[in-house]
Amino acid sequence: AQSVTQPDIHITVSEGASLELRCNYSYGATPYLFWYVQSPGQGLQLLLKYFSGDTLVQGIKGFEAEFKRSQSSFNLRKPSVHWSDAAEYFCVIGTSGTYKYIFGTGTRLKVLA
Amino acid sequence: EAGVAQSPRYKIIEKRQSVAFWCNPISGHATLYWYQQILGQGPKLLIQFQNNGVVDDSQLPKDRFSAERLKGVDSTLKIQPAKLEDSAVYLCASSPPKNPLASETQYFGPGTRLLVL
């Protein structure tokens, strides 16, 4: 079955600390992977995506993610978190052929001043 | 490049009333999606259009929800009659013409927040 698991529902970090949000997936073919961020009252903004090639992907706002096929993971990282990063983060699989998204349940990030 | 536009941004109605949401996708995007996002959950796909044809509406509650995409551009989503459990954010997204060998990035609008009293 196709699925995306984000094990952490809530994460709290201090401003300036490093961040890693976990994402594991189950998909029978080549995964197309995305991270989106949703700030309160806002739509979903694309942070970064992995289709092929270099497994370390750089995104906007200083975020990066690493695709590890052996671990079926696509974890999101940021070396130093800013208060404005407080939001909900969704890991997503894009399916080839049907062009659909499979969303994870989301991780809500809280940033302490 | 203009993003996905949605209106209204907020709507409050009473149960059993009807409501309609409008979406204008990014120019040239062939595929349009409507999602329902209930508070605390990820988005759930309601309907997917390819140009003006429906690709997938398997999760659309067809007894009360309807959607159309005239001329393959703008789309409207309607609820009639609304129920309390329809309170959610309704997101519209669009994606470029298809690469049959891959997925495509979806671009989301700001959403319409619906409250049913």
Side-chain angles (χ1 to χ4, degrees):
Chain A
Q2 303 167 352
S3 66
V4 180
T5 301
Q6 294 181 246
D8 304 304
I9 298 175
H10 294 97
I11 283 186
T12 300
V13 300
S14 297
E15 191 171 19
S18 64
L19 173 69
E20 182 169 32
L21 302 183
R22 296 183 291 163
C23 172
N24 293 96
Y25 66 88
S26 173
Y27 188 64
T30 302
Y32 301 93
L33 296 160
F34 306 80
W35 275 100
Y36 281 84
V37 60
Q38 188 174 35
S39 299
Q42 303 296 314
L44 290 153
Q45 181 182 23
L46 179 68
L47 282 177
L48 48 78
K49 61 186 178 184
Y50 171 77
F51 281 10
S52 65
D54 193 346
T55 56
L56 185 62
V57 181
Q58 301 297 319
I60 63 171
K61 303 184 180 185
F63 285 92
E64 66 178 26
E66 186 170 14
F67 171 59
K68 293 185 177 180
R69 185 184 298 273
S70 62
Q71 298 178 21
S72 297
S73 70
F74 188 56
N75 293 348
L76 182 70
R77 301 193 294 249
K78 186 170 185 177
S80 178
V81 170
H82 188 263
W83 64 267
S84 61
D85 293 325
E88 185 139 26
Y89 292 79
F90 291 95
C91 181
V92 181
I93 286 178
T95 62
S96 58
T98 58
Y99 312 110
K100 288 183 172 49
Y101 273 8
I102 300 171
F103 280 85
T105 50
T107 297
R108 183 167 296 278
L109 173 66
K110 182 177 179 179
V111 180
L112 301 176
Chain B
E1 176 181 81
V4 176
Q6 290 187 248
S7 67
R9 291 296 308 277
Y10 304 93
K11 192 73 177 179
I12 300 175
I13 61 173
E14 295 187 349
K15 60 183 180 183
R16 291 187 290 273
Q17 286 187 324
S18 63
V19 64
F21 311 128
W22 173 82
C23 173
N24 180 239
I26 293 173
S27 178
H29 280 197
T31 307
L32 185 147
Y33 309 80
W34 282 102
Y35 291 87
Q36 181 192 59
Q37 185 178 21
I38 292 173
L39 187 64
Q41 300 181 18
K44 180 186 86 169
L45 179 68
L46 292 175
I47 189 167
Q48 177 184 353
F49 291 94
Q50 175 75 17
N51 296 311
N52 60 350
V54 175
V55 175
D56 183 356
D57 63 357
S58 59
Q59 299 205 73
L60 187 73
K62 298 180 186 65
D63 58 334
R64 297 184 301 105
F65 286 66
S66 64
E68 60 182 6
R69 189 182 184 194
L70 298 176
K71 301 180 181 179
V73 182
D74 293 6
S75 177
T76 56
L77 176 70
K78 297 179 182 178
I79 308 175
Q80 183 180 10
K83 292 186 175 180
L84 297 177
E85 59 260 37
D86 297 331
S87 295
V89 175
Y90 292 85
L91 295 165
C92 180
S94 68
S95 62
K98 298 305 181 188
N99 175 348
L101 300 179
S103 184
E104 290 296 345
T105 303
Q106 294 183 22
Y107 297 86
F108 287 81
T112 296
R113 188 173 298 272
L114 173 67
L115 178 60
V116 182
L117 302 176

